[in-house]
Amino acid sequence: MLSPNQPLYIDPAKFQINGGTVYYACYLKGTHIATPVGETRIESLKAGDQVLTAGGGTATVKWIGYRTLFKKRIPEQDAKRAFPILFKKGCIADNVPHCDLVMSPGHHVFFDGYLVPAMALENGISIAQQFDMQSFQYFHVELEQFDILLAEGMPAESYVDTGNRRMFQNAHHVAMNPDFGPATGRPDIPGITLIRKGPVLEGIRAKLLERANWMQVPKGQKRAG
């Protein structure tokens, strides 16, 4: 449990979960989340607010977690799982996301019925890791029930506590609250499958790389894609 007197930064090289190192799963500060009254910056959301889900419904915000990372304090061996990944506008489909979207490497996005970690989709063209940021702040949205949000118009997961709540600076605020205990895993959502490797993932990567190459073609030479 974190105490209010502990430093805000937790060295990712020393923070372990079940014997393994943590992968950050968050949105970058400034990300717009779809709500019934329009898009709202993630850092402006609070418990009790309503957000839209990718399935067309609404969900209630339970908690907002956040943390700040500094480049000079991230060990080189942890860079790949700490620095944000940029999804360029339209890299998934036309107008999806509808503007550049930045999230952590371990955050899962929804694509063709699958939840896939952002770091598994990185191609260096349309989806690329940003190693030059000197500091950055991550935020995540926990809902009353796990669901798929719309971040800059792109479907991506809400937060689920799989034992990693301590990665947030403000985790101590709810550490003793029994309503904020860890889940056994991501709750199932009908029609959505979690993948992290295998031929299905390779097919998704190939599809997005093809689109990335198409995005680089001069506008006057493009066919619809």
Side-chain angles (χ1 to χ4, degrees), residues 8 26-31 42-43 65-70 84 102 133 135-140 169:
L8 296 182
C26 319
Y27 299 98
L28 197 70
K29 180 180 180 180
T31 298
I42 192 168
E43 65 269 24
Y66 61 86
R67 68 169 295 114
T68 301
L69 293 175
F70 301 92
V102 186
M133 300 180 72
S135 66
F136 45 96
Q137 192 168 26
Y138 283 139
F139 283 78
H140 215 335
Q169 293 171 201

Side-chain angles (χ1 to χ4, degrees), residues 27-167:
Y27 299 98
L28 197 70
K29 180 180 180 180
T31 298
H32 293 90
I33 304 297
T35 79
V37 294
E39 292 192 324
T40 300
R41 289 169 65 101
I42 192 168
E43 65 269 24
S44 298
L45 291 172
K46 61 185 183 302
D49 285 349
Q50 296 289 299
V51 297
L52 298 180
T53 66
T58 60
T60 302
V61 174
K62 181 178 181 180
W63 182 72
I64 301 292
Y66 61 86
R67 68 169 295 114
T68 301
L69 293 175
F70 301 92
K71 180 176 182 177
K72 64 182 180 181
R73 301 176 71 176
I74 298 174
E76 183 177 354
Q77 68 268 24
D78 294 313
K80 288 291 292 183
R81 60 189 178 86
F83 281 92
I85 291 181
L86 165 67
F87 285 75
K88 292 184 179 180
K89 176 183 177 180
C91 68
I92 301 297
D94 290 345
N95 213 36
V96 181
H98 58 59
C99 65
D100 288 353
L101 169 64
V102 186
M103 64 177 63
S104 63
H107 199 113
H108 289 69
V109 301
F110 178 72
F111 186 91
D112 283 356
Y114 297 96
L115 271 181
V116 188
M119 58 189 167
L121 300 177
E122 198 268 342
N123 57 35
I125 303 173
S126 62
I127 304 172
Q129 199 151 21
Q130 308 296 291
F131 292 109
D132 294 332
M133 300 180 72
Q134 298 303 308
S135 66
F136 45 96
Q137 192 168 26
Y138 283 139
F139 283 78
H140 215 335
V141 182
E142 183 175 21
L143 304 176
E144 291 292 345
Q145 183 175 341
F146 176 70
D147 214 320
I148 307 301
L149 302 168
L150 292 169
E152 308 295 5
M154 189 172 92
E157 67 179 351
S158 66
Y159 173 66
V160 58
D161 183 1
T162 56
N164 61 351
R165 194 182 297 271
R166 284 183 57 209
M167 70 179 171

Side-chain angles (χ1 to χ4, degrees), residues 189-209:
I189 297 179
I192 298 178
T193 302
L194 177 68
I195 58 170
R196 291 176 177 149
K197 60 182 179 179
V200 173
L201 174 58
E202 292 309 312
I204 291 173
R205 285 178 52 82
K207 187 174 182 178
L208 293 179
L209 181 58

